[in-house]
Amino acid sequence: PLPPEVMREPTIRILRPSEAAAISLQAEALRTREVEANEALAVRVAALAARFPAEPVIHALHASVLFSAEKWDEAIAAADRGLAIDPAHARSNALRALAMYRAATQADGPPNRAVMTEIDGYLDRARASDPREPALQMLRRTSRGE
């Protein structure tokens, strides 16, 4: 037998205009691996964020693309814009933590205790909001050096 969460009826809703506009960029972000390609994609996502400044999901997409472009401080700023709208937004919290971790390890080696405490706070908020958030898995892989 399948678990109950698999068997329940799907929830269907109409996408908001920002979500519909972001679909192709989200799909491209999943396929784009090279730093330079992500830098170019970040410009297009920034334009989308300018069109929909009140959508945390768009700012989280921007943070994700900036993270993939290895622009840690800019990824932190994009995640912060999403968190300013919705402090509990799981993806923004997870990406904020991930970018903070990468920025700290690039600058000084392993993050100090104060930075790790701050990172843990963002991770706790992400887990509380959505424990299945895929970006939470990225920190585990990053911290193991994968």
Side-chain angles (χ1 to χ4, degrees):
L2 295 172
E5 64 269 9
V6 173
M7 297 303 297
R8 70 174 176 244
E9 289 290 319
T11 301
I12 299 173
R13 67 176 178 81
I14 296 172
L15 295 176
R16 294 188 310 270
S18 60
E19 293 170 318
I23 287 176
S24 64
L25 292 174
Q26 288 172 327
E28 190 173 340
L30 291 172
R31 293 188 311 267
T32 304
R33 300 284 181 239
E34 298 80 25
V35 170
E36 296 80 17
N38 277 295
E39 288 173 349
L41 181 57
V43 172
R44 294 172 38 221
V45 176
L48 184 65
R51 280 182 46 209
F52 299 101
E55 292 289 343
V57 69
I58 304 296
H59 295 293
L61 174 61
H62 194 204
S64 176
V65 172
L66 288 165
F67 180 85
S68 296
E70 299 180 2
K71 299 200 175 281
W72 321 125
D73 291 335
E74 292 177 44
I76 290 168
D80 283 345
R81 287 189 292 276
L83 293 172
I85 300 161
D86 179 2
H89 191 255
R91 181 147 304 160
S92 294
N93 275 292
L95 287 165
R96 174 72 156 88
L98 189 57
M100 283 179 67
Y101 181 84
R102 278 300 185 92
T105 58
Q106 294 294 317
D108 304 320
N112 63 39
R113 181 174 289 225
V115 171
M116 282 308 297
T117 299
E118 188 177 358
I119 288 170
D120 286 343
Y122 287 107
L123 292 174
D124 290 345
R125 283 188 288 282
R127 283 187 198 104
S129 181
D130 183 359
R132 298 175 306 170
E133 169 54 49
L136 289 169
Q137 301 303 315
M138 291 173 62
L139 188 59
R140 287 193 190 112
R141 287 194 303 269
T142 299
S143 64
R144 289 193 310 250
E146 295 177 13

